[in-house]
Amino acid sequence: MIPSIAERQIYQVLTKKTSIRSFEQWLYEDNVLESSNPDLYLELISFDYSSEDGFYDSFAKYVHFYKFEADQIKEYLCSIINRDQKCGDAILLMYELYCQGYEFLQKLGLIYGLCLVDCSHPVSLVDESANIIDKLYPSIIEDAKNVIHWLEEGKIVFKGQDNGFGIFEYDDLRSESEILQGKA
C-alpha cells in the first residue's frame, strides 16, 4: 500500500507539476514512505534522478490517476473563474472533456467552450478569441462554480482507471435539478 502523500508526490512529478529534483529532495526529507512501504522506498532511492527518463515507466503503476482527476478539473475551473492567462485554454478544454465523455461539463463545454473551437488557432484569430472570451463573462463564472461545488461535495466521483484516452469512469450523484443546471 502506498501512502496518499507519496502517491500525490509521484503524481505531481508524472504530470510535471513538480520537478524531479523537488521530488528527490522530498523523498530524502520525509520518512513516511520508508516506514510504510520500504520496497517502494528502496526502488525510489535507487532511481537515477539525473534524468527524468524512465520515471514514468517505473512509477506510474503506483498512481491511481482517477484520484486526482477532480483536482485537475478544479484547476481548470479556477482558471476560468479567476480569468487568468490560461482561461481560454481551460474553456476550450471544457468542450473537449465534455466530448470525451464528461457529461457533467455539458453546459461549460457546449455553451462556452464550443464558442472557442473555431477560433482556437494561434496568431490570426487571437484577437477574435479574446473578444469571444469577453462575451462569456461573467455568466461562465457561476457555471464553473457549480461544477466545483459538485466535485467538492462528492456529487461527481471518479473511479477506476482511464479509458485509454485520459477519461475516467465516474458516478454522477447530482440531484435532478443539479443535472438540469448543468445541461446546455
Side-chain angles (χ1 to χ4, degrees), residues 128-165:
E128 184 180 340
S129 178
N131 290 336
I132 292 171
I133 290 172
D134 286 341
K135 292 176 183 173
L136 303 179
Y137 284 87
S139 60
I140 194 173
I141 294 172
E142 191 62 35
D143 292 318
K145 285 180 178 179
N146 285 337
V147 177
I148 286 179
H149 173 74
W150 300 331
L151 292 168
E152 289 177 344
E153 294 295 314
K155 295 185 178 198
I156 303 294
V157 180
F158 294 97
K159 58 184 186 174
Q161 290 300 329
D162 72 57
N163 61 5
F165 301 105

Side-chain angles (χ1 to χ4, degrees), residues 103-137:
E103 289 287 322
F104 64 95
L105 295 174
Q106 182 182 47
K107 189 171 190 179
L108 287 169
L110 292 181
I111 300 223
Y112 306 107
L114 188 57
C115 294
L116 296 179
V117 170
D118 288 334
C119 63
S120 63
H121 304 287
V123 185
S124 64
L125 299 172
V126 170
D127 290 336
E128 184 180 340
S129 178
N131 290 336
I132 292 171
I133 290 172
D134 286 341
K135 292 176 183 173
L136 303 179
Y137 284 87

Side-chain angles (χ1 to χ4, degrees), residues 52-117:
E52 288 186 43
D53 294 341
F55 191 86
Y56 190 93
D57 293 335
S58 298
F59 302 110
K61 63 188 172 202
Y62 295 107
V63 176
H64 298 93
F65 286 88
Y66 71 90
K67 292 180 181 179
F68 306 102
E69 186 72 350
D71 292 338
Q72 184 68 45
I73 291 172
K74 285 192 283 187
E75 284 180 31
Y76 301 136
L77 295 167
C78 286
S79 176
I80 292 169
I81 292 166
N82 296 329
R83 199 170 178 182
D84 65 20
Q85 64 187 19
K86 295 182 179 181
C87 73
D89 293 334
I91 294 168
L92 186 58
L93 190 58
M94 294 299 105
Y95 171 73
E96 292 171 6
L97 290 173
Y98 164 71
C99 289
Q100 292 172 349
Y102 288 165
E103 289 287 322
F104 64 95
L105 295 174
Q106 182 182 47
K107 189 171 190 179
L108 287 169
L110 292 181
I111 300 223
Y112 306 107
L114 188 57
C115 294
L116 296 179
V117 170

Side-chain angles (χ1 to χ4, degrees), residues 1-14 23 26-27 30-34 36-37 40-41 44 55 59 62-64 68:
M1 177 89 175
I2 181 172
S4 60
I5 183 82
E7 185 176 17
R8 180 170 291 283
Q9 291 290 336
I10 293 170
Y11 170 81
Q12 295 288 333
V13 174
L14 296 175
F23 175 81
W26 169 82
L27 181 64
D30 194 314
N31 64 0
V32 68
L33 195 54
E34 183 178 13
S36 62
N37 192 329
L40 176 57
Y41 179 74
L44 283 164
F55 191 86
F59 302 110
Y62 295 107
V63 176
H64 298 93
F68 306 102

